[in-house]
């Protein structure tokens, strides 16, 4: 049998003093490097005050630019003839334009057809007309194109919705 005491003594040998001294010196060197990098940086109240002043100046210039855009006339795209007008004037023009239009009742929202007709199939049958109403003419799609693609849907004012069923009055409880 081999010498059994030699294996544990080899596993637990102490590191020489010079190794420990080298590790401590590395930590001290790292600490000195960190202090030289972080130490001279200005972290006083003056530093924070100057940063706050710069932020306030940037905010002020941004606010001035946005106010200038909202209150002056300018070309957005001169080639296309798109101009920017002051927002107050735009609101006046919009209100005047809406005042000239006659209010129309809101009609039902037209939903697109759920299914498309295969090529060569006959067009969908027309919806039954209610007596006394006129149906608008529907343009037909050219051959080879999907049905309804590119065709304008009739306006909600020309569409008639079926009358809503009367709902019973809610019951009152004492």
């Amino acid at each position: 049998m081999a010498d059994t005491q030699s294996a544990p003594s080899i596993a637990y040998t102490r590191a020489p003093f010079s190794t420990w001294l080298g590790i401590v010196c590395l930590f001290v060197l790292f600490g000195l490097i960190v202090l030289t990098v972080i130490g001279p940086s200005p972290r006083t109240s003056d530093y924070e005050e100057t940063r706050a002043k710069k932020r306030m100046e940037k905010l002020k210039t941004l606010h001035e630019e946005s106010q200038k855009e909202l209150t002056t006339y300018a070309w957005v795209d001169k080639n296309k003839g798109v101009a920017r007008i002051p927002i107050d004037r735009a609101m006046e023009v919009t209100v005047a334009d809406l005042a000239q239009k006659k209010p129309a009742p809101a009609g039902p929202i037209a939903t697109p057809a759920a299914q498309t007709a295969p090529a060569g199939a006959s067009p969908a049958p027309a919806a039954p007309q209610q007596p006394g109403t006129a149906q608008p003419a529907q343009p037909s799609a050219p051959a080879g194109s999907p049905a309804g693609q590119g065709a304008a849907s009739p306006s909600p004012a020309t569409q008639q919705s079926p009358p809503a069923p009367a709902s019973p009055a809610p019951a009152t409880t004492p």
Side-chain angles (χ1 to χ4, degrees), residues 42 49 73 85 107 131 135 138 158 170 174:
E49 288 175 6
Y73 292 90
I85 64 172
Q135 289 285 19
Q138 296 290 329
T158 60

Side-chain angles (χ1 to χ4, degrees), residues 60-74:
K60 183 179 177 182
T61 57
L62 180 66
H63 182 68
E64 288 172 355
E65 289 173 5
S66 65
Q67 283 299 319
K68 181 181 175 186
E69 287 182 5
L70 289 173
T71 57
T72 60
Y73 292 90

Side-chain angles (χ1 to χ4, degrees), residues 13 15 28 61 69 75 88 96 144:
T13 58
V28 170
T61 57
E69 287 182 5
W75 285 107
D88 294 333

Side-chain angles (χ1 to χ4, degrees), residues 4 26 32-33 64 67 76 95 112 117 131 134 136 141 156 171:
T4 57
L26 283 175
L32 289 174
I33 291 172
E64 288 172 355
Q67 283 299 319
V76 175
V95 168

Side-chain angles (χ1 to χ4, degrees), residues 169-173:
T172 57
T173 57

